[in-house]
Amino acid sequence: MRVIKSLVASVIYVAILAGLLLVPAGLAPGGSWRWPAGWLFLAAYGGLAAVGYVLIAVYRPASFDVRQQGVIAEKGRKQPRLDAVGSLIYAVYLAGWAVFIPLDVFWLRLLPEPAWPLRLVGLTAVAVGSAVALLAVAQNRFAAPTVQDQLADGQRVVDSGLYGVVRHPLYAGNLLSFAGAALWLGSTAALAGVLVMVGFTLARMHIEEAWLRSNLPGYEDYARRVRARLVPFVI
């Protein structure tokens, strides 16, 4: 059943992403929904997501289940109000950012498009970032989409695997994927827009870590041992 749910969720997610990218591409002056870079991105990103979540559903069912929650915590689970509001704003921003990419590529052209070698680097970054994010989910059965109280479910500090290198590998993988997507699709302006995502992510981490330090036994010690939050030796 989880495998079917993972495939259905992947199809829905890719369909939404396709609408956000291809509809504006078709409507933009000089644009076309027959956008090779866009279709290749959807195939690569969607394929990785589908395979990754099927594997997680089979081999890490608890991790799969926790990711099925929305951006608002389930009733009865404590979630900081700032996290709930911020998550909704971030979701709206991500949707707007995706729509902006084809408009910029075909019509606005706010900044010079990246050279093809950089675009290929971007496609590689999409693959690597997606793999990192999926592995982070697989390695942490408490990686819920929201900041919430999971102590009743046996929540504990996860400090192995990627979490032994940085404290927030899921966020790191997502940001790498977003930056890679902007490069591959050919929008330097959208790449600049990833900086806003970095700001959202840093704010989210501040809220999340404040809750974890106050409520999760052992997290304070973990934060002292693993200093990097997103990038080893950098931040």
Side-chain angles (χ1 to χ4, degrees):
M1 192 57 152
R2 286 189 180 92
V3 171
I4 295 175
K5 286 178 66 176
S6 68
L7 290 172
V8 170
S10 296
V11 169
I12 292 173
Y13 178 71
V14 172
I16 293 172
L17 189 55
L20 293 173
L21 290 173
L22 298 180
V23 172
L27 295 176
S32 171
W33 65 270
R34 296 177 179 178
W35 182 21
W39 282 101
L40 182 56
F41 168 75
L42 291 168
Y45 189 67
L48 281 169
V51 171
Y53 272 106
V54 165
L55 291 175
I56 291 172
V58 173
Y59 296 105
R60 294 289 189 274
S63 295
F64 175 79
D65 289 343
V66 80
R67 292 302 297 176
Q68 302 313 296
Q69 303 173 23
V71 296
I72 302 299
E74 296 176 352
K75 187 176 181 180
R77 293 183 181 271
K78 296 179 181 178
Q79 179 186 16
R81 187 179 299 275
L82 274 176
D83 181 65
V85 174
S87 295
L88 288 172
I89 294 173
Y90 190 34
V92 172
Y93 177 81
L94 286 176
W97 176 80
V99 169
F100 168 79
I101 292 177
L103 295 178
D104 184 53
V105 169
F106 292 110
W107 177 38
L108 299 173
R109 298 183 177 90
L110 296 181
L111 296 171
E113 70 176 57
W116 268 102
L118 282 177
R119 294 182 68 170
L120 293 175
V121 168
L123 187 60
T124 303
V126 170
V128 173
S130 299
V132 168
L134 289 166
L135 186 57
V137 170
Q139 292 178 346
N140 185 359
R141 63 180 292 261
F142 306 107
T146 61
V147 179
Q148 59 178 269
D149 186 351
Q150 300 180 74
L151 296 176
D153 299 325
Q155 186 178 10
R156 60 177 178 79
V157 173
V158 176
D159 59 1
S160 58
L162 294 177
Y163 292 88
V165 181
V166 295
R167 301 202 299 268
H168 299 280
L170 175 55
Y171 299 155
N174 285 338
L175 289 173
L176 181 60
S177 293
F178 295 146
L183 278 174
W184 165 250
L185 294 172
S187 175
T188 304
L191 178 62
V194 175
L195 294 176
V196 177
M197 299 178 195
V198 173
F200 270 111
T201 301
L202 291 175
R204 174 76 179 283
M205 289 192 304
H206 178 76
I207 297 169
E208 184 173 350
E209 296 220 334
W211 189 94
L212 292 171
R213 289 174 189 271
S214 299
N215 296 278
L216 186 60
Y219 193 85
E220 192 76 52
D221 178 64
Y222 166 66
R224 283 194 295 266
R225 288 185 286 108
V226 180
R227 308 289 294 182
R229 292 178 294 169
L230 287 173
V231 183
F233 311 111
V234 179
I235 185 174

